[in-house]
Amino acid sequence: MADYQKKEIRMSEWTPVATVYDPLKAGSIDGTDVEPHDRAVWRAMVARYVPNKAVVGDPQLTLFVARLNRQTTEEKLREVFSKYGDIRRLRLVRDVVTGFSRGYAFIEYKEERSLMKAHRDANKMLVEQHELFVDFEQERTLKGWVPRRLGGGLGGKKESGQLRFGGRDRPFRKPINLPLMSSDSRAPPQDRPRDRRWEKGGERDERHRDRDRDRDRDRSP
């Protein structure tokens, strides 16, 4: 626990979306927990995850697409997402034993403008009766990333008791001990595409989004 002692949160460092993955913070609704509240968080804290080196393509041009209908095919995904620009690679993740879709995919575009347009417009789009979740790839772009199977990840269902915050789906709530932010303090570093969403006006206020989610049923990847 020595590495996870409480640190003072400075206003200039706070953003609703994590720029570095910290399992302890991800397990906290406002990113201020000082000890893990469930065993999965602890498991993620001690995990030594190494991104899959066999994955090819440019992570800065790759989208993560989840909550797919299990019947949705690669052809259908290409049809839907090619309207945003030319696709270089598309990988629908399938079970290695059964060959069935696991409900998520990775799409690499040829140009950044296509990536940004799909990120902006395709999130929550209905495809074959399923509302999609679209975000930038995390594994190779978010430092410190730990996947859900090791207790990390982002998002999750309320009934699981293992929600993870700091992502597009469930951003951090503003800690009550922090003052109101000035307009220039909202912008996180611009060194990765995931941060450029702030140039487009940002996401909806996280409190309204959380209230919307309480009214809607949870959707699993």
Side-chain angles (χ1 to χ4, degrees):
M1 290 294 295
D3 293 337
Y4 288 89
Q5 291 178 350
K6 186 175 182 180
K7 299 178 181 179
E8 180 181 0
I9 299 177
R10 290 173 292 185
M11 189 67 258
S12 61
E13 297 176 346
W14 186 87
T15 63
V17 177
T19 55
V20 175
Y21 191 81
D22 182 331
L24 184 60
K25 291 182 178 179
S28 170
I29 195 170
D30 60 4
T32 62
D33 280 7
V34 296
E35 59 182 32
H37 69 271
D38 64 54
R39 291 183 179 180
V41 170
W42 173 254
R43 188 155 52 95
M45 289 166 61
V46 299
R48 295 294 179 266
Y49 180 70
V50 178
N52 186 353
K53 294 182 180 180
V55 175
V56 298
D58 187 345
Q60 304 288 2
L61 293 176
T62 303
L63 286 180
F64 170 67
V65 181
R67 300 173 189 167
L68 294 169
N69 186 318
R70 299 302 172 103
Q71 305 303 314
T72 296
T73 64
E74 288 89 342
E75 291 74 20
K76 181 63 177 180
L77 282 175
R78 188 173 294 276
E79 174 190 333
V80 171
F81 281 87
S82 62
K83 68 181 182 181
Y84 301 111
D86 292 334
I87 294 174
R88 176 172 283 121
R89 291 183 182 86
L90 187 153
R91 180 168 65 95
L92 177 62
V93 179
R94 295 181 177 276
D95 187 278
V96 294
V97 176
T98 66
F100 294 149
S101 169
R102 296 182 62 184
Y104 63 96
F106 295 92
I107 299 174
E108 180 189 355
Y109 282 97
K110 292 183 179 180
E111 297 181 333
E112 183 179 351
R113 61 181 178 181
S114 302
L115 173 92
M116 300 304 294
K117 185 175 181 181
H119 179 269
R120 183 189 68 222
D121 296 342
N123 190 45
K124 298 189 177 183
M125 177 173 57
L126 283 176
V127 175
E128 298 185 333
Q129 292 76 54
H130 278 231
E131 187 177 282
L132 305 187
F133 173 70
V134 178
D135 201 357
F136 301 116
E137 180 191 332
Q138 308 284 357
E139 181 177 11
R140 296 179 293 167
T141 62
L142 188 58
K143 183 178 179 181
W145 175 253
V146 178
R148 170 66 64 173
R149 68 177 184 273
L150 296 179
L154 293 170
K157 297 190 296 182
K158 286 184 289 186
E159 58 266 28
S160 72
Q162 295 182 9
L163 296 180
R164 298 294 179 262
F165 300 89
R168 187 180 200 186
D169 192 33
R170 293 184 182 276
F172 290 125
R173 287 185 180 180
K174 182 175 175 290
I176 59 174
N177 61 329
L178 293 182
L180 292 175
M181 293 185 296
S182 61
S183 58
D184 59 348
S185 68
R186 289 189 63 90
Q190 303 296 317
D191 57 340
R192 294 189 297 113
R194 59 175 284 105
D195 298 321
R196 291 177 209 156
R197 72 185 66 179
W198 299 87
E199 296 177 3
K200 306 296 182 181
E203 304 296 335
R204 290 187 299 157
D205 185 271
E206 59 268 18
R207 289 169 294 184
H208 292 292
R209 293 182 56 185
D210 195 75
R211 198 175 304 130
D212 291 341
R213 281 193 295 272
D214 288 339
R215 288 195 295 263
D216 297 334
R217 63 182 179 86
D218 286 292
R219 303 173 301 277
S220 59

